[in-house]
Amino acid sequence: MKVKFCGASIGVTGSCHLISTDKHQILFDCGQFQGGRETEKMNEEPFPFDPTEIECVVLSHAHIDHCGRLPLLVKRGFKGAIYCTDATADLLDVMLKDSAYIHEKDAEWQTRRNARIGKPPVEPLYTIRDAEAALRLVKPILYDQLIALNDDMKIVFNDAGHILGSAIIELWTTEEDKTSKLVFSGDLGVPNRPILRDPTKIKKADYVIMETTYGNRLHEKNATSIDELIQIVLKTIKRGGNVIIPSFAVGRTQELIYQFNMFYEHHPEYADILGNVNVYIDSPMAMTATEVFKKNAQVFDEETKNYILSGDHPLDFPNLKFTRNTADSQMLNVDKHPKIIISASGMCEAGRIRHHLKHNLWDSRNSIVFVGYQAEGTLGRSLVEGAKEVRLFNEPILVQAEIHNLEGFSGHADQAGLLDWLGGFQVKPKEIFLVHGELQSKIDFAAKVKEVYGYDPIVVNGNTEYELETGEILSQDAVIQDALDDEDVEKLKTKLENIEGELEDILASTRGVMSKKISPTRLQEINNMVLELEKASVNLGATITAEDRDKTPLSEQAAQA
């Protein structure tokens, strides 16, 4: 049996792992790469396998970074089954159609822009028709149900506690009368959290593929983050501001609804402050996903089930409002009353949240509260790291609102949770592969695993293929780089700062001559200098300033000037 890591191998998005034998090829996940422009360009590249030869996809859960390229897989020839839990199947219908709609609209926008400058039209990555074709291949199954994929492979889904329907996958593969067991963690949730059950611990495995999103960090306690969120809300509302919460439409939004429900119902002493303060869910997908959650109470934890049986639903309360259309969303930024707005996307890379940030970031009365992971190269990551100015819809926006990052709301297990789950194996696995994490996170977690359990995990860093029985590396991408020490990182940071300074100086000079005559030759020289400096910046693995989907590159700005 071989495994080839085809995504989530150099970061936390694009989950996709090819499992193959002499007779069969199957995929674990087929997710979309998310982040800055360069990261998202990876979605357009050919798959590192032939989609027509894949028998089936075994899907861990419905987040786009795990399922978002399924329509593209179908578009490029895949015709097999897509296995997932029944709750994941319900969410897929929402997620894939919404993703397809975004790709279609992005392509329409870029095509109109291209037409104005004489460039050809742009095709969407995939369409709603492609999404519908993928959905017709979905085969829902229950947790703990043994399913034969073919004559030699069987699977079982176990609850991962990450989002509704999320699963840890057990795969048994028989080759030459010998059976091996591979376990894929998917994304592991946090124990003792509302709504969902705790992640299932697996007792035995020959091989483990494991996520490491928070492999080198510990979350603050969920209760601490809840208390901090409430204090942020009270403080912001008292000064007449809005609380803007970028949130993933599936999972995090529903937990926030649950927590606000608990607070509004059980703290009447704050009625004078919060009585007229509404909580707006401004995301069509989040609204639909919340309805899916309500229909799948069979997979909730016992506390939430009992709450429902008592006659009250934890995902509904009087101050909760759902915006139904674009006009309703726009009115939120016209209405001057203090409010709480929960909107997607969680990393601020698309969707209505960008409009709310445009209207609220510049006002010091407001608070922006992050409650989920912010990948490298995203607008959310820039804000969390202290950006003083960002660009939204080609406008510079000053950041004067308070920025908060509450990791206690994360749906991913932290280092302690990952270690605890790994400790459930009663016999040492032959090999543990670490994926779905930034490089340093994987390296640090591997060191911690060795310290605690004596295991020596493999840090996957690039699209690499392994022969599991022998441990032989069969292929390895050229993108793999050695980890940098602190001194190297500081040198790179200094070099990048110098590049950024030169770019800004050149652009300022160009703008200064906009109203004067400048020869075409000189303009071309300036533009070439900017392009060379941008190339140097990219080669160092960094962006020139905070990544922003709507930002016009400095080279384009210089050319326009």
Side-chain angles (χ1 to χ4, degrees):
M1 182 165 58
K2 294 178 287 188
V3 57
K4 184 172 185 177
F5 299 101
C6 307
S9 58
I10 56 173
V12 297
T13 64
S15 179
C16 186
H17 313 303
L18 174 65
I19 314 299
S20 60
T21 68
D22 291 340
K23 297 180 182 179
H24 309 286
Q25 292 189 69
I26 70 169
L27 287 183
F28 285 164
D29 291 350
C30 191
Q32 197 166 298
F33 294 100
Q34 297 175 299
R37 289 177 179 174
E38 293 304 313
T39 299
E40 294 191 356
K41 283 181 181 177
M42 295 167 64
N43 292 311
E44 301 169 6
E45 296 177 1
F47 290 105
F49 49 80
D50 184 348
T52 64
E53 295 181 359
I54 303 299
E55 290 181 31
C56 67
V57 178
V58 184
L59 181 63
S60 66
H61 65 285
H63 273 153
I64 287 297
D65 64 320
H66 290 257
C67 72
R69 283 192 295 165
L70 286 172
L72 183 64
L73 191 72
V74 172
K75 181 179 179 179
R76 293 182 178 174
F78 171 71
K79 292 181 171 60
I82 300 170
Y83 294 96
C84 61
T85 65
D86 52 351
T88 294
D90 287 344
L91 287 173
L92 271 184
D93 187 73
V94 181
M95 302 293 283
L96 295 185
K97 289 178 181 176
D98 181 80
S99 179
Y101 175 81
I102 291 171
H103 286 302
E104 287 184 351
K105 290 301 178 183
D106 283 352
E108 287 177 12
W109 176 84
Q110 189 62 52
T111 294
R112 288 195 301 270
R113 186 178 182 185
N114 284 2
R116 293 193 292 269
I117 55 176
K119 290 185 177 181
V122 173
E123 290 293 322
L125 187 67
Y126 54 81
T127 65
I128 290 177
R129 181 176 293 182
D130 297 321
E132 290 171 342
L135 290 167
R136 287 194 289 271
L137 301 177
V138 171
K139 294 188 179 298
I141 60 178
L142 302 175
Y143 285 122
D144 305 317
Q145 184 179 0
L146 183 66
I147 296 293
L149 302 180
N150 49 53
D151 292 340
D152 303 309
M153 292 177 163
K154 297 180 176 66
I155 61 165
V156 166
F157 284 130
N158 304 272
D159 201 330
H162 173 60
I163 65 167
L164 188 76
S166 60
I168 299 161
I169 300 165
E170 294 178 281
L171 169 70
W172 290 266
T173 301
T174 300
E175 292 182 281
E176 299 178 354
D177 298 324
K178 181 180 179 181
T179 299
S180 297
K181 182 181 177 184
L182 173 65
V183 170
F184 174 41
S185 72
D187 285 357
L188 295 169
V190 180
N192 304 314
R193 294 289 285 276
I195 305 178
L196 301 179
R197 296 179 295 206
D198 292 351
T200 305
K201 290 186 178 179
I202 310 298
K203 296 180 179 180
K204 295 180 181 178
D206 296 300
Y207 309 101
V208 177
I209 301 171
M210 185 176 182
E211 70 116 326
T212 55
T213 310
Y214 286 98
N216 59 357
R217 291 154 70 180
L218 297 175
H219 300 325
E220 63 182 17
K221 293 183 182 299
N222 182 239
T224 302
S225 283
I226 293 167
D227 290 342
E228 191 173 349
L229 174 62
I230 297 306
Q231 291 308 311
I232 292 168
V233 168
L234 294 173
K235 180 181 175 182
T236 305
I237 298 303
K238 282 181 179 178
R239 64 179 181 235
N242 298 320
V243 178
I244 310 299
I245 307 178
S247 179
F248 300 101
V250 177
R252 202 75 67 256
T253 293
Q254 288 72 38
E255 182 179 349
L256 287 168
I257 293 172
Y258 179 97
Q259 297 296 355
F260 277 119
N261 180 24
M262 296 295 109
F263 181 71
Y264 271 72
E265 289 194 4
H266 299 295
H267 292 277
E269 66 271 24
Y270 293 112
D272 58 327
I273 301 174
L274 297 175
N276 296 317
V277 176
N278 290 326
V279 179
Y280 291 95
I281 308 300
D282 188 32
S283 165
M285 184 166 62
M287 181 170 63
T288 308
T290 302
E291 293 304 314
V292 173
F293 265 70
K294 290 180 179 179
K295 292 192 301 183
N296 281 274
Q298 75 278 3
V299 298
F300 289 175
D301 62 17
E302 291 304 313
E303 179 183 354
T304 308
K305 287 180 182 177
N306 291 335
Y307 199 94
I308 294 171
L309 290 173
S310 71
D312 198 354
H313 204 289
L315 298 180
D316 194 16
F317 58 97
N319 291 63
L320 181 65
K321 310 294 181 184
F322 290 90
T323 56
R324 300 291 171 179
N325 50 50
T326 303
D328 290 342
S329 175
Q330 292 171 341
M331 285 304 298
L332 295 180
N333 291 315
V334 175
D335 176 23
K336 299 303 181 184
H337 293 92
K339 65 189 74 65
I340 300 163
I341 302 174
I342 302 171
S343 186
S345 72
M347 298 184 195
C348 308
E349 284 299 291
R352 295 179 179 179
I353 188 63
R354 295 174 73 83
H355 294 275
H356 297 308
L357 291 175
K358 175 183 174 181
H359 287 277
N360 288 274
L361 271 173
W362 55 269
D363 191 336
S364 60
R365 294 175 301 170
N366 301 328
S367 295
I368 315 299
V369 183
F370 290 93
V371 292
Y373 187 81
Q374 304 301 308
E376 285 186 316
T378 62
L379 176 59
R381 182 68 164 259
S382 299
L383 290 169
V384 166
E385 291 182 344
K388 301 301 182 185
E389 182 180 290
V390 297
R391 291 187 68 85
L392 286 161
F393 309 105
N394 285 325
E395 290 185 33
I397 306 294
L398 197 62
V399 179
Q400 296 195 115
E402 290 185 354
I403 307 296
H404 302 271
N405 187 26
L406 306 184
E407 289 189 354
F409 281 103
S410 174
H412 286 270
D414 63 2
Q415 184 186 80
L418 294 172
L419 286 169
D420 182 62
W421 182 80
L422 192 58
F425 291 100
Q426 296 178 350
V427 178
K428 177 183 177 181
K430 295 178 182 178
E431 209 67 81
I432 300 168
F433 298 93
L434 303 183
V435 297
H436 204 286
E438 293 172 9
L439 179 58
Q440 197 59 52
S441 179
K442 290 183 286 192
I443 291 171
D444 292 346
F445 186 67
K448 193 68 175 179
V449 169
K450 190 166 186 177
E451 174 191 328
V452 174
Y453 297 118
Y455 304 165
D456 198 8
I458 292 175
V459 173
V460 178
N461 189 28
N463 292 358
T464 311
E465 185 173 25
Y466 295 87
E467 169 60 58
L468 292 181
E469 188 63 31
T470 65
E472 179 185 1
I473 298 177
L474 302 177
S475 65
Q476 195 169 37
D477 268 5
V479 299
I480 298 178
Q481 301 171 349
D482 293 330
L484 300 170
D485 59 28
D486 290 341
E487 185 177 350
D488 289 333
V489 170
E490 289 306 314
K491 287 179 180 177
L492 284 179
K493 285 182 178 178
T494 301
K495 194 169 183 179
L496 282 170
E497 286 171 2
N498 292 336
I499 289 173
E500 290 170 3
E502 290 183 57
L503 282 167
E504 293 297 340
D505 289 344
I506 291 171
L507 188 56
S509 298
T510 306
R511 286 173 174 154
V513 298
M514 285 176 66
S515 61
K516 303 176 183 179
K517 290 184 178 180
I518 180 170
S519 70
T521 302
R522 179 55 181 156
L523 180 58
Q524 188 60 52
E525 288 175 357
I526 292 173
N527 196 44
N528 288 341
M529 291 169 67
V530 175
L531 287 169
E532 286 301 316
L533 287 168
E534 283 185 335
K535 188 184 297 182
S537 178
V538 170
N539 288 340
L540 285 171
T543 53
I544 295 168
T545 58
E547 271 288 334
D548 185 356
R549 187 174 204 157
D550 299 310
K551 181 175 179 181
T552 303
L554 288 172
S555 54
E556 286 188 30
Q557 294 181 46
Q560 291 167 4

